[in-house]
Amino acid sequence: MRRMLALPVAVVAAALLLTGCVNNEANENPQGGGQSSASADTEGYGVTKDDALAATLPDAIAASGVLKIGTDPTYAPNEYKDSAGNPIGWDIDLADAMAAKLGLKAQYTAAKFDNIIPSIVGGKYDLGVSSFTDTTEREKQVDFVNYYNAGILWASAKGKDVDPENACGLKVGVEDGTYEDTEELPAKSKACTDAGKDKIQVFKYDGQDQATNALVLGQVDAMSADSPITEYAIHQQSDKIQAAGETFDIAPYGFATAKGGELTDVIKNTLQALIDDGTYTKILQKWGVEDGAVTAADVNAASKQ
């Protein structure tokens, strides 16, 4: 459900699942001292170089010793910045682990979300790590190595049951500009009023942290957000909030790579190695987002559905 790329109206109508958080005008800013193989070890994951996988790297990347990654770090807990401005999050941990497995240093560039895919096409980045929803439209430009299934998940106050399909009259918090704000809740509210019931009262917040805080403080009855975002909030506030229903409108996330390039299979096989050795699960569990875990890496899953 990550943000929508600028697309023609006809394409937008056919691809609503491209949407997500509001765009952030992130300046392109290389994190030159970024995450290295050692950083994955310091997180307790114990990732070491796999010589066989490293031997499959494209020559230019192998020679440089660097995996150039574009990311828009504005989307906690997937990818965001710590107090020092360094990229962190479970997407970043996964990318670090893949780089470590390949014996590379991960070099991050903070970029505007809409610029990442064009920059991969242009060869500026080797990899896009920014909660991209894999869609058939995006697959026309890049390949996706699928690593997670995300959707929409609601949360309510601890001990208070809320049904997302029967929320007429309730106060629901969302981050302004998200799919949940612009598409999901307007449709649900219209269904309520069409049935002669009270509309859903949508409370919009500039940041997801504010929407979560409103729920914790009892200012809203529920909140709606992307599943890993809600799962992380519940993980952090387990004594105050709970999941309301199950994840729905599920779609695959993908790491973006150059279309038809050698790196796609390398990333797929490296991700599979991390799944097989348990590192992948450790990372998701650390961040409390294991609900969307996959058991096998895939490529361009959207076109297979």
Side-chain angles (χ1 to χ4, degrees):
M1 301 302 170
R2 193 72 198 254
R3 291 153 293 185
M4 183 179 293
L5 291 168
L7 294 170
V9 172
V11 174
V12 172
L16 291 177
L17 290 182
L18 290 174
T19 57
C21 276
V22 293
N23 196 14
N24 178 281
E25 297 293 332
N27 295 322
E28 295 202 356
N29 177 25
Q31 304 293 326
Q35 312 300 315
S36 66
S37 299
S39 72
D41 291 333
T42 61
E43 292 293 339
Y45 302 131
V47 180
T48 57
K49 181 181 178 182
D50 183 315
D51 290 333
L53 285 170
T56 65
L57 280 165
D59 291 342
I61 296 176
S64 72
V66 173
L67 189 64
K68 295 179 292 184
I69 300 172
T71 187
D72 180 358
T74 61
Y75 207 49
N78 299 12
E79 53 274 325
Y80 61 110
K81 292 181 179 180
D82 64 16
S83 58
N86 297 312
I88 58 173
W90 63 270
D91 256 3
I92 302 302
D93 277 2
L94 275 176
D96 284 347
M98 289 191 298
K101 201 80 166 171
L102 292 167
L104 301 173
K105 179 172 73 173
Q107 183 183 74
Y108 295 95
T109 298
K112 183 179 177 182
F113 183 76
D114 289 358
N115 288 343
I116 297 174
I117 286 179
S119 294
I120 293 170
V121 174
K124 184 174 183 179
Y125 308 140
D126 303 313
L127 191 67
V129 178
S130 211
S131 303
F132 285 104
T133 299
D134 176 1
T135 69
T136 54
E137 284 301 317
R138 285 176 173 166
E139 286 178 12
K140 293 176 182 178
Q141 303 176 73
V142 293
D143 286 328
F144 286 104
V145 176
N146 306 112
Y147 64 96
Y148 192 82
N149 291 319
I152 298 173
L153 180 63
W154 283 37
S156 61
K158 194 80 170 181
K160 182 176 181 179
D161 292 332
V162 170
D163 180 2
E165 297 304 319
N166 186 24
C168 303
L170 297 184
K171 299 175 181 178
V172 182
V174 293
E175 183 178 352
D176 189 27
T178 58
Y179 175 88
E180 291 81 1
D181 169 33
T182 63
E183 301 293 339
E184 183 215 357
L185 287 176
K188 280 185 166 70
S189 188
K190 183 178 185 301
C192 290
T193 55
D194 286 351
K197 300 178 182 179
D198 291 338
K199 69 178 182 179
I200 296 174
Q201 301 176 60
V202 181
F203 286 69
K204 304 182 182 187
Y205 299 91
D206 289 338
Q208 181 56 46
D209 55 345
Q210 297 172 30
T212 301
N213 193 50
L215 177 59
V216 169
L217 295 176
Q219 296 170 351
V220 295
D221 299 302
M223 74 175 195
S224 179
D226 281 12
S227 54
I229 310 304
T230 302
E231 288 168 13
Y232 183 68
I234 294 169
H235 185 70
Q236 297 294 100
Q237 299 279 354
S238 59
D239 60 330
K240 302 286 181 56
I241 62 177
Q242 65 184 22
E246 303 292 332
T247 299
F248 56 94
D249 285 356
I250 296 170
Y253 277 173
F255 295 125
T257 60
K259 190 71 180 175
E262 297 177 70
L263 187 62
T264 301
D265 280 343
V266 177
I267 294 299
K268 176 189 175 184
N269 293 336
T270 304
L271 175 61
Q272 188 62 55
L274 293 173
I275 292 172
D276 293 342
D277 70 16
T279 303
Y280 171 84
T281 300
K282 289 179 183 177
I283 291 172
L284 298 192
Q285 288 178 339
K286 171 193 169 183
W287 291 93
V289 296
E290 59 269 30
D291 185 60
V294 298
T295 57
D298 199 2
V299 173
N300 296 336
S303 62
K304 299 174 184 177
Q305 294 178 346

